Amino acid sequence: MVLSISGVVLLGIVVLLFFRKDGLKPSHAVVCALFGFYLAGTSVAPGIHEGGARIAQMLGGIAL
């Protein structure tokens, strides 16, 4: 659950940066959000979730 919330916060910050710096229009952000919601309901969602979990595990294993 913590990873999911952290991912949402991180992606929200990225969208905010795109909105402020790179000229992301609010309509584009809405389309991206809707795409994400609809994508979550497809058969591809478990693969995306697993890929995100593996990336998080890999990043968590990096020792500085």
Side-chain angles (χ1 to χ4, degrees), residues 2 7 12 17 22 32 35 37 39 50 57 59-60 62:
V2 174
L17 288 174
D22 293 334
C32 289
F35 177 69
F37 284 122
L39 187 63
E50 180 67 28
Q57 183 180 13
L59 292 176
I62 295 175

Side-chain angles (χ1 to χ4, degrees), residues 29-46:
V30 169
V31 169
C32 289
L34 288 173
F35 177 69
F37 284 122
Y38 285 120
L39 187 63
T42 65
S43 61
V44 180

Side-chain angles (χ1 to χ4, degrees), residues 1-62:
M1 182 65 175
V2 174
L3 178 62
S4 297
I5 292 173
S6 298
V8 169
V9 170
L10 177 64
L11 291 174
I13 290 170
V14 169
V15 169
L16 182 66
L17 288 174
F18 282 157
F19 182 70
R20 289 190 174 259
K21 302 290 183 188
D22 293 334
L24 178 71
K25 295 180 182 175
S27 61
H28 297 155
V30 169
V31 169
C32 289
L34 288 173
F35 177 69
F37 284 122
Y38 285 120
L39 187 63
T42 65
S43 61
V44 180
I48 294 171
H49 182 70
E50 180 67 28
R54 287 181 189 237
I55 290 171
Q57 183 180 13
M58 181 181 64
L59 292 176
I62 295 175

